[in-house]
Amino acid sequence: MLRATVRWTLAAVFPSTDRLPGLDRLDTDASLAAFMAAPAVIRAGLLGSTLAFLLCPLLTIGWPLPAFLLPRDALDRHAAAMASSRIYLLRQAMLMLKTVGGVLWGGHPEVRAKLGLPLYGPDPGTFRGDDLRPPRTDAEPPA
Amino acid sequence: MSTAAHAGSVGHLAFQPTGDVELQADYVVVGSGSGGSAAAVVLARAGYRVVVVESGPWRDRNDYPHSMLGAMRDMMPDWGGTVAMGDSIMPIVQARGVGGGTVINSAIMVRTPGDVLHDWARDHGLGDVFTERAMGEAHDRVDADLEVAPTPTGPDYGRSNAGLLEMLRSRGFEAHPTARNVHGCVGSGQCLQGCRQGAKRSTNLQWLPEVIERGGLVLSCAPVDRVVLEGGRAVGVRGRFRHPQNRQRGGTFAVRAKRGVLLAASATQTPLLLHRSGVRSAALGRFWRSHPGAACVGVYPEPVDMHHGATQGTASVHFRGGIGPGATLQPGVGIKIESLALPLELVAGRTAGAGRGLVDKLTDARHQALWITAVRAEAEGSCKPGLFGQPNVRYKPTANDRAALLRGLRLLAELHFEHGATAVRPGIYGLPDSIGPDQLHLLETPPRDNRGITWVLSHLFGGAVLGSDPSRSVVGPDLHVRGARGLHVVCASALPTTLGVNPQHTIMAVAQITALRLANAGNPAS
Ligand SMILES: Cc1cc2nc3c(=O)[nH]c(=O)nc-3n(C[C@H](O)[C@H](O)[C@H](O)COP(=O)(O)OP(=O)(O)OC[C@H]3O[C@@H](n4cnc5c(N)ncnc54)[C@H](O)[C@@H]3O)c2cc1C
Ligand code: SF4
């Protein structure tokens, strides 16, 4: 439920356009799951910013509704208005959403392929002494 | 149970889920980044047994991430969630892992400018220690070890780097291809994720293996909790292993140091570690400084492909001594200018707007060139322990700092237009998302406060600074932490001023001079 709400919010910040797929169309489950398991400071920022996005359409476009009840155009105006809000904390909340959304969107192979950017390989996440890692790599010093 | 014997034979000990590791060394170095590794290798070469204790894991190039998600998760403390608070919230970018900042930085190497050494001598009483000669020799040694050379301006230089170089020179401003510690750089523009090509001479590849070959040991996944002080003398460190992925706490470690402890945990962690260890000084956590920076994006009719080329291939120190209106030389707050290949993920986050308008603006990602300016800020902040033990950094660039930044951004915007950009994205709140050449004047009035600027801090200084005045410094000119014999600081937190140039070369030189003094003070234990 929580993850679905965050995913919906990030998709409102990075929606599909005529030329590029947005987070509403891309499978970013694994990346989002990683963010949901990030250190508390990141999770708190992400959840707080999501909450702010959901609750503040009254402050941004004057609609007394939570964001998830807004029609598509109004939702888009709300997102844009939050990014340029006079209230600094709202802008910062949007910056947090854009940072996380940007990482999900900008790293996605479909987006990168569409833009003609090199695709990323998988992130191994391994380190020396890790059971999941091959015992030696070329860069290791002699034992 | 002690695993000391086992550790001694392999040279590296990673996360230990249980048990107590107890080790002996001549010197313990806490933190393995620019300062820690530079000091460790000097002590190891002098014949001392060195144990380097690093809070993050040891990653080799095949372990490095490709994406920014991986870089945040694997390479940065708290996923890059450290911030400085003043009247605005400013992200602090740092690394965590064996090699510290040298793994993710852009490899730019700049020698300490003479005026900095002059200031250190005149204002901080350090003239006998950090002489031009000693620093020059240290820089020579580092350059040779890390294969420092100017970035070649051939086909792999990259259009964004070449454009900035050409435009600065066309105005008669000093500009140069950056000198970098790389060998065989193919210009993948991915330094921030760690160099998978193995070209960057980061200290996990260069110095730490040598420390191990010379009988030393690296402990990774091992955040030091405190320095052990006995009778006013540092005799070791202790802490508990922490798993880098699931953050699970493991067994304990304790390293006993016969000769001394060198702290190199960075400008955000060393002051906290000293505090946790019971060191008390009016200057601890104070005199915290930075080179806060911001970016100016030009949008070009043709693809620029800024990800092609050295991550930061061009720099200018023309305005290091100050910048006046109309890009004139004017003594005051100085700036430095550089090109930067920012991954699309981060460009997306810093582009103005949200929703369809934002995604539309990113359609031209390949046509963007990002040039940055960083301020040699006069602001002074602090780094103290926060409620949960995290760094509580208070920092607020001054009105002069903002004015200098705006002048730098305006200059970059002009250069973009002169180079053929059709639009510039200044990234300043209150200005249009995108401006044309007839709107440059909008960049003349700095925002009233720092909330209008997307500052980023990656060059940090101070918090446990060197100096002769006990009320203004934590480390004396004898290079010992006051009140704690055998305890030394060899990372960015020791630097008493900003530099106006990229800091790692200076940090390495200061660390090596400190280590050399220690090495020369006594024969290595047999
Ligand atoms: C993205 C980026 C690009 C940069 N580019 C350049 C550049 O091109 N040129 C340049 O000169 N500078 C550059 N810098 C700055 C430069 O990397 C830093 O100034 C420099 O690395 C700082 O050195 P340090 O020794 O103070 O700390 P670091 O290199 O940050 O090392 C500190 C180490 O200590 C470890 N540590 C922290 N706490 C503990 C603890 N309690 N116990 C054990 N270990 C601990 C950390 O995990 C870390 O590995 C860049 C920085 C960043 C973030
Ligand atoms: S630009 Fe690419 S190849 Fe060159 S040092 Fe950086 S990561 Fe390595």
Side-chain angles (χ1 to χ4, degrees), chain B residues 25-76:
Chain B
D26 292 320
Y27 286 102
V28 182
V29 178
V30 179
S32 64
S34 306
S37 304
V41 78
V42 165
L43 293 169
R45 283 174 188 169
Y48 294 103
R49 175 163 159 77
V50 181
V51 173
V52 178
V53 190
E54 165 58 49
S55 119
W58 190 326
R59 289 197 157 90
D60 293 302
R61 63 184 169 132
N62 295 334
D63 300 314
Y64 292 160
H66 287 89
S67 74
M68 265 319 295
L69 173 67
M72 288 167 75
R73 183 194 64 191
D74 295 347
M75 313 297 249
M76 297 176 186

Short mmCIF file of all heavy atoms in Angstrom, two decimals, chain B residues 25-76:
data_model
loop_
_atom_site.label_atom_id
_atom_site.label_comp_id
_atom_site.label_asym_id
_atom_site.label_seq_id
_atom_site.Cartn_x
_atom_site.Cartn_y
_atom_site.Cartn_z
N ALA B 25 49.09 -2.86 16.30
CA ALA B 25 49.75 -2.16 15.19
C ALA B 25 50.69 -1.11 15.77
O ALA B 25 50.65 -0.81 16.96
CB ALA B 25 48.70 -1.48 14.33
N ASP B 26 51.55 -0.57 14.89
CA ASP B 26 52.30 0.60 15.31
C ASP B 26 51.37 1.82 15.23
O ASP B 26 51.24 2.60 16.16
CB ASP B 26 53.51 0.81 14.40
CG ASP B 26 54.54 -0.29 14.58
OD1 ASP B 26 54.77 -0.69 15.74
OD2 ASP B 26 55.10 -0.76 13.57
N TYR B 27 50.73 1.94 14.06
CA TYR B 27 49.80 3.05 13.86
C TYR B 27 48.45 2.53 13.37
O TYR B 27 48.41 1.61 12.55
CB TYR B 27 50.34 4.02 12.80
CG TYR B 27 51.48 4.87 13.30
CD1 TYR B 27 52.79 4.56 12.95
CD2 TYR B 27 51.24 5.97 14.11
CE1 TYR B 27 53.85 5.34 13.41
CE2 TYR B 27 52.29 6.76 14.58
CZ TYR B 27 53.59 6.44 14.22
OH TYR B 27 54.63 7.21 14.68
N VAL B 28 47.41 3.14 13.85
CA VAL B 28 46.07 2.88 13.32
C VAL B 28 45.63 4.12 12.56
O VAL B 28 45.77 5.24 13.07
CB VAL B 28 45.04 2.64 14.44
CG1 VAL B 28 43.68 2.32 13.85
CG2 VAL B 28 45.47 1.52 15.32
N VAL B 29 45.12 3.91 11.35
CA VAL B 29 44.57 5.01 10.57
C VAL B 29 43.07 4.78 10.43
O VAL B 29 42.65 3.70 9.99
CB VAL B 29 45.23 5.07 9.17
CG1 VAL B 29 44.63 6.19 8.35
CG2 VAL B 29 46.74 5.24 9.29
N VAL B 30 42.29 5.76 10.81
CA VAL B 30 40.83 5.62 10.75
C VAL B 30 40.31 6.35 9.52
O VAL B 30 40.42 7.57 9.43
CB VAL B 30 40.18 6.20 12.02
CG1 VAL B 30 38.66 6.08 11.95
CG2 VAL B 30 40.72 5.50 13.26
N GLY B 31 39.77 5.60 8.56
CA GLY B 31 39.30 6.20 7.31
C GLY B 31 40.34 5.98 6.23
O GLY B 31 41.55 6.18 6.47
N SER B 32 39.89 5.57 5.04
CA SER B 32 40.84 5.17 4.00
C SER B 32 40.72 6.01 2.75
O SER B 32 41.01 5.55 1.66
CB SER B 32 40.61 3.70 3.66
OG SER B 32 39.31 3.56 3.10
N GLY B 33 40.24 7.25 2.88
CA GLY B 33 40.09 8.13 1.71
C GLY B 33 41.38 8.84 1.38
O GLY B 33 42.49 8.33 1.63
N SER B 34 41.25 10.04 0.84
CA SER B 34 42.42 10.79 0.38
C SER B 34 43.47 10.91 1.48
O SER B 34 44.65 10.60 1.27
CB SER B 34 42.00 12.21 -0.03
OG SER B 34 40.96 12.15 -0.97
N GLY B 35 43.06 11.36 2.65
CA GLY B 35 44.02 11.61 3.73
C GLY B 35 44.53 10.33 4.37
O GLY B 35 45.73 10.14 4.55
N GLY B 36 43.61 9.43 4.71
CA GLY B 36 43.99 8.21 5.42
C GLY B 36 44.95 7.35 4.62
O GLY B 36 45.98 6.89 5.15
N SER B 37 44.64 7.12 3.36
CA SER B 37 45.51 6.25 2.54
C SER B 37 46.87 6.89 2.32
O SER B 37 47.90 6.20 2.31
CB SER B 37 44.89 6.00 1.18
OG SER B 37 43.63 5.46 1.33
N ALA B 38 46.86 8.21 2.10
CA ALA B 38 48.12 8.92 1.85
C ALA B 38 49.05 8.79 3.05
O ALA B 38 50.26 8.58 2.91
CB ALA B 38 47.85 10.39 1.54
N ALA B 39 48.49 8.91 4.25
CA ALA B 39 49.31 8.78 5.46
C ALA B 39 49.74 7.33 5.67
O ALA B 39 50.90 7.06 6.00
CB ALA B 39 48.52 9.28 6.67
N ALA B 40 48.80 6.41 5.45
CA ALA B 40 49.09 4.99 5.72
C ALA B 40 50.26 4.50 4.88
O ALA B 40 51.13 3.78 5.37
CB ALA B 40 47.84 4.15 5.45
N VAL B 41 50.29 4.90 3.61
CA VAL B 41 51.33 4.36 2.73
C VAL B 41 52.71 4.90 3.14
O VAL B 41 53.71 4.18 3.07
CB VAL B 41 51.01 4.63 1.24
CG1 VAL B 41 51.31 6.06 0.83
CG2 VAL B 41 51.77 3.66 0.35
N VAL B 42 52.76 6.14 3.61
CA VAL B 42 54.04 6.70 4.06
C VAL B 42 54.54 5.93 5.28
O VAL B 42 55.72 5.56 5.37
CB VAL B 42 53.89 8.21 4.37
CG1 VAL B 42 55.06 8.73 5.18
CG2 VAL B 42 53.74 9.00 3.08
N LEU B 43 53.65 5.67 6.21
CA LEU B 43 54.06 4.95 7.43
C LEU B 43 54.46 3.51 7.10
O LEU B 43 55.43 2.99 7.64
CB LEU B 43 52.91 4.97 8.46
CG LEU B 43 52.60 6.36 9.03
CD1 LEU B 43 51.29 6.34 9.81
CD2 LEU B 43 53.74 6.85 9.92
N ALA B 44 53.73 2.89 6.18
CA ALA B 44 54.06 1.51 5.80
C ALA B 44 55.43 1.47 5.11
O ALA B 44 56.24 0.58 5.36
CB ALA B 44 52.98 0.94 4.88
N ARG B 45 55.69 2.47 4.25
CA ARG B 45 56.99 2.51 3.56
C ARG B 45 58.12 2.72 4.56
O ARG B 45 59.26 2.31 4.32
CB ARG B 45 57.01 3.64 2.52
CG ARG B 45 56.25 3.28 1.26
CD ARG B 45 56.15 4.44 0.30
NE ARG B 45 55.25 4.11 -0.80
CZ ARG B 45 54.79 5.00 -1.68
NH1 ARG B 45 55.14 6.27 -1.60
NH2 ARG B 45 53.97 4.62 -2.63
N ALA B 46 57.81 3.39 5.65
CA ALA B 46 58.86 3.63 6.67
C ALA B 46 59.07 2.40 7.55
O ALA B 46 59.89 2.43 8.46
CB ALA B 46 58.48 4.84 7.52
N GLY B 47 58.30 1.35 7.29
CA GLY B 47 58.54 0.10 8.00
C GLY B 47 57.61 -0.15 9.18
O GLY B 47 57.77 -1.13 9.90
N TYR B 48 56.65 0.73 9.36
CA TYR B 48 55.73 0.53 10.49
C TYR B 48 54.60 -0.41 10.08
O TYR B 48 54.19 -0.45 8.91
CB TYR B 48 55.13 1.87 10.93
CG TYR B 48 56.16 2.79 11.53
CD1 TYR B 48 56.67 3.85 10.80
CD2 TYR B 48 56.64 2.57 12.82
CE1 TYR B 48 57.62 4.70 11.33
CE2 TYR B 48 57.60 3.41 13.36
CZ TYR B 48 58.09 4.47 12.62
OH TYR B 48 59.04 5.28 13.15
N ARG B 49 54.06 -1.11 11.07
CA ARG B 49 52.88 -1.93 10.80
C ARG B 49 51.65 -1.04 10.98
O ARG B 49 51.41 -0.48 12.05
CB ARG B 49 52.83 -3.12 11.76
CG ARG B 49 51.55 -3.92 11.58
CD ARG B 49 51.65 -5.32 12.19
NE ARG B 49 50.33 -5.87 12.45
CZ ARG B 49 49.54 -6.40 11.52
NH1 ARG B 49 49.91 -6.41 10.26
NH2 ARG B 49 48.37 -6.90 11.86
N VAL B 50 50.91 -0.93 9.91
CA VAL B 50 49.77 -0.01 9.89
C VAL B 50 48.48 -0.80 9.75
O VAL B 50 48.39 -1.70 8.92
CB VAL B 50 49.89 0.96 8.68
CG1 VAL B 50 48.72 1.94 8.66
CG2 VAL B 50 51.22 1.71 8.73
N VAL B 51 47.51 -0.47 10.56
CA VAL B 51 46.16 -1.02 10.36
C VAL B 51 45.24 0.14 9.97
O VAL B 51 45.16 1.14 10.69
CB VAL B 51 45.64 -1.72 11.64
CG1 VAL B 51 44.18 -2.14 11.45
CG2 VAL B 51 46.49 -2.95 11.96
N VAL B 52 44.61 -0.01 8.82
CA VAL B 52 43.67 1.00 8.34
C VAL B 52 42.26 0.49 8.65
O VAL B 52 41.92 -0.64 8.28
CB VAL B 52 43.82 1.24 6.82
CG1 VAL B 52 42.79 2.25 6.32
CG2 VAL B 52 45.23 1.70 6.48
N VAL B 53 41.48 1.30 9.33
CA VAL B 53 40.13 0.86 9.71
C VAL B 53 39.12 1.73 8.96
O VAL B 53 39.11 2.95 9.12
CB VAL B 53 39.91 0.99 11.24
CG1 VAL B 53 38.61 0.32 11.64
CG2 VAL B 53 41.08 0.38 11.99
N GLU B 54 38.30 1.10 8.16
CA GLU B 54 37.38 1.83 7.27
C GLU B 54 35.94 1.39 7.54
O GLU B 54 35.64 0.20 7.61
CB GLU B 54 37.77 1.55 5.81
CG GLU B 54 36.75 1.91 4.76
CD GLU B 54 36.32 3.37 4.78
OE1 GLU B 54 37.19 4.26 4.79
OE2 GLU B 54 35.09 3.62 4.78
N SER B 55 35.09 2.38 7.62
CA SER B 55 33.70 2.08 7.97
C SER B 55 32.94 1.37 6.84
O SER B 55 32.07 0.55 7.08
CB SER B 55 33.04 3.38 8.40
OG SER B 55 32.00 3.73 7.62
N GLY B 56 33.28 1.66 5.60
CA GLY B 56 32.56 1.04 4.48
C GLY B 56 33.26 -0.20 3.97
O GLY B 56 34.35 -0.57 4.43
N PRO B 57 32.66 -0.86 2.97
CA PRO B 57 33.25 -2.10 2.42
C PRO B 57 34.35 -1.80 1.41
O PRO B 57 34.48 -0.68 0.93
CB PRO B 57 32.06 -2.75 1.72
CG PRO B 57 31.22 -1.60 1.27
CD PRO B 57 31.37 -0.53 2.32
N TRP B 58 35.10 -2.83 1.06
CA TRP B 58 36.12 -2.72 0.01
C TRP B 58 35.50 -3.20 -1.29
O TRP B 58 35.13 -4.37 -1.42
CB TRP B 58 37.36 -3.55 0.36
CG TRP B 58 38.53 -3.29 -0.54
CD1 TRP B 58 38.49 -2.99 -1.87
CD2 TRP B 58 39.92 -3.28 -0.18
NE1 TRP B 58 39.76 -2.79 -2.36
CE2 TRP B 58 40.67 -2.98 -1.34
CE3 TRP B 58 40.61 -3.53 1.00
CZ2 TRP B 58 42.06 -2.90 -1.35
CZ3 TRP B 58 42.00 -3.45 0.99
CH2 TRP B 58 42.72 -3.13 -0.18
N ARG B 59 35.37 -2.29 -2.23
CA ARG B 59 34.84 -2.66 -3.54
C ARG B 59 35.94 -2.52 -4.58
O ARG B 59 36.65 -1.53 -4.60
CB ARG B 59 33.66 -1.77 -3.92
CG ARG B 59 32.43 -2.06 -3.08
CD ARG B 59 31.15 -1.49 -3.69
NE ARG B 59 30.00 -2.22 -3.17
CZ ARG B 59 29.33 -1.88 -2.08
NH1 ARG B 59 29.67 -0.82 -1.41
NH2 ARG B 59 28.32 -2.62 -1.67
N ASP B 60 36.07 -3.55 -5.41
CA ASP B 60 36.98 -3.47 -6.56
C ASP B 60 36.16 -3.08 -7.77
O ASP B 60 34.93 -3.02 -7.72
CB ASP B 60 37.67 -4.82 -6.75
CG ASP B 60 38.60 -5.12 -5.58
OD1 ASP B 60 39.49 -4.31 -5.33
OD2 ASP B 60 38.37 -6.13 -4.90
N ARG B 61 36.84 -2.87 -8.87
CA ARG B 61 36.13 -2.25 -9.99
C ARG B 61 34.98 -3.10 -10.51
O ARG B 61 33.99 -2.58 -10.99
CB ARG B 61 37.10 -1.87 -11.10
CG ARG B 61 37.82 -3.02 -11.73
CD ARG B 61 38.78 -2.43 -12.73
NE ARG B 61 39.71 -3.39 -13.22
CZ ARG B 61 39.98 -3.55 -14.51
NH1 ARG B 61 39.37 -2.81 -15.39
NH2 ARG B 61 40.85 -4.43 -14.88
N ASN B 62 35.10 -4.44 -10.37
CA ASN B 62 33.98 -5.28 -10.84
C ASN B 62 32.79 -5.21 -9.90
O ASN B 62 31.70 -5.68 -10.23
CB ASN B 62 34.43 -6.73 -11.00
CG ASN B 62 35.47 -6.86 -12.09
OD1 ASN B 62 35.51 -6.03 -13.00
ND2 ASN B 62 36.33 -7.86 -11.99
N ASP B 63 33.01 -4.69 -8.72
CA ASP B 63 31.91 -4.52 -7.76
C ASP B 63 31.20 -3.18 -7.95
O ASP B 63 30.12 -2.97 -7.38
CB ASP B 63 32.44 -4.54 -6.32
CG ASP B 63 33.15 -5.82 -5.96
OD1 ASP B 63 32.62 -6.90 -6.27
OD2 ASP B 63 34.24 -5.74 -5.35
N TYR B 64 31.83 -2.26 -8.67
CA TYR B 64 31.26 -0.91 -8.75
C TYR B 64 29.91 -0.94 -9.45
O TYR B 64 29.69 -1.73 -10.38
CB TYR B 64 32.17 0.03 -9.55
CG TYR B 64 33.49 0.38 -8.90
CD1 TYR B 64 34.53 0.87 -9.68
CD2 TYR B 64 33.70 0.24 -7.54
CE1 TYR B 64 35.76 1.20 -9.12
CE2 TYR B 64 34.92 0.56 -6.98
CZ TYR B 64 35.95 1.04 -7.76
OH TYR B 64 37.15 1.36 -7.20
N PRO B 65 29.02 -0.05 -9.04
CA PRO B 65 27.71 0.02 -9.70
C PRO B 65 27.82 0.69 -11.06
O PRO B 65 28.79 1.38 -11.34
CB PRO B 65 26.91 0.89 -8.74
CG PRO B 65 27.94 1.77 -8.09
CD PRO B 65 29.18 0.93 -7.97
N HIS B 66 26.80 0.49 -11.89
CA HIS B 66 26.70 1.23 -13.14
C HIS B 66 25.80 2.46 -12.96
O HIS B 66 26.06 3.51 -13.51
CB HIS B 66 26.08 0.37 -14.24
CG HIS B 66 26.98 -0.70 -14.77
ND1 HIS B 66 27.04 -1.95 -14.22
CD2 HIS B 66 27.86 -0.69 -15.79
CE1 HIS B 66 27.92 -2.68 -14.91
NE2 HIS B 66 28.43 -1.93 -15.86
N SER B 67 24.73 2.26 -12.22
CA SER B 67 23.67 3.29 -12.18
C SER B 67 23.87 4.22 -10.99
O SER B 67 24.64 3.93 -10.07
CB SER B 67 22.31 2.61 -12.07
OG SER B 67 22.16 2.10 -10.75
N MET B 68 23.12 5.31 -10.98
CA MET B 68 23.17 6.22 -9.84
C MET B 68 22.49 5.59 -8.62
O MET B 68 22.88 5.86 -7.49
CB MET B 68 22.47 7.54 -10.18
CG MET B 68 23.39 8.63 -10.66
SD MET B 68 24.97 8.76 -9.80
CE MET B 68 24.49 9.24 -8.17
N LEU B 69 21.49 4.76 -8.87
CA LEU B 69 20.86 4.06 -7.74
C LEU B 69 21.93 3.23 -7.03
O LEU B 69 22.06 3.28 -5.80
CB LEU B 69 19.72 3.15 -8.23
CG LEU B 69 19.12 2.25 -7.16
CD1 LEU B 69 18.38 3.05 -6.11
CD2 LEU B 69 18.17 1.23 -7.77
N GLY B 70 22.71 2.50 -7.83
CA GLY B 70 23.78 1.70 -7.25
C GLY B 70 24.82 2.57 -6.57
O GLY B 70 25.33 2.22 -5.50
N ALA B 71 25.13 3.72 -7.18
CA ALA B 71 26.15 4.60 -6.58
C ALA B 71 25.67 5.13 -5.23
O ALA B 71 26.44 5.18 -4.26
CB ALA B 71 26.47 5.74 -7.54
N MET B 72 24.41 5.54 -5.17
CA MET B 72 23.90 6.04 -3.90
C MET B 72 23.90 4.94 -2.84
O MET B 72 24.30 5.14 -1.70
CB MET B 72 22.47 6.58 -4.08
CG MET B 72 22.41 7.88 -4.86
SD MET B 72 20.73 8.28 -5.38
CE MET B 72 20.01 8.83 -3.84
N ARG B 73 23.43 3.75 -3.26
CA ARG B 73 23.30 2.64 -2.31
C ARG B 73 24.67 2.13 -1.85
O ARG B 73 24.89 1.90 -0.66
CB ARG B 73 22.52 1.51 -2.98
CG ARG B 73 22.25 0.31 -2.10
CD ARG B 73 21.79 -0.88 -2.94
NE ARG B 73 22.86 -1.32 -3.85
CZ ARG B 73 22.67 -2.19 -4.84
NH1 ARG B 73 21.48 -2.70 -5.08
NH2 ARG B 73 23.70 -2.54 -5.62
N ASP B 74 25.60 1.98 -2.82
CA ASP B 74 26.84 1.27 -2.52
C ASP B 74 28.00 2.19 -2.14
O ASP B 74 28.94 1.76 -1.48
CB ASP B 74 27.30 0.45 -3.73
CG ASP B 74 26.32 -0.66 -4.06
OD1 ASP B 74 25.44 -0.95 -3.21
OD2 ASP B 74 26.42 -1.23 -5.16
N MET B 75 27.98 3.43 -2.62
CA MET B 75 29.19 4.24 -2.50
C MET B 75 29.07 5.42 -1.53
O MET B 75 30.07 6.06 -1.23
CB MET B 75 29.59 4.82 -3.87
CG MET B 75 29.58 3.81 -5.01
SD MET B 75 30.77 2.50 -4.78
CE MET B 75 31.94 2.86 -6.07
N MET B 76 27.85 5.75 -1.10
CA MET B 76 27.69 6.97 -0.31
C MET B 76 27.12 6.67 1.08
O MET B 76 26.26 5.79 1.20
CB MET B 76 26.75 7.94 -1.03
CG MET B 76 27.29 8.39 -2.36
SD MET B 76 26.12 9.44 -3.23
CE MET B 76 26.97 9.61 -4.79
#
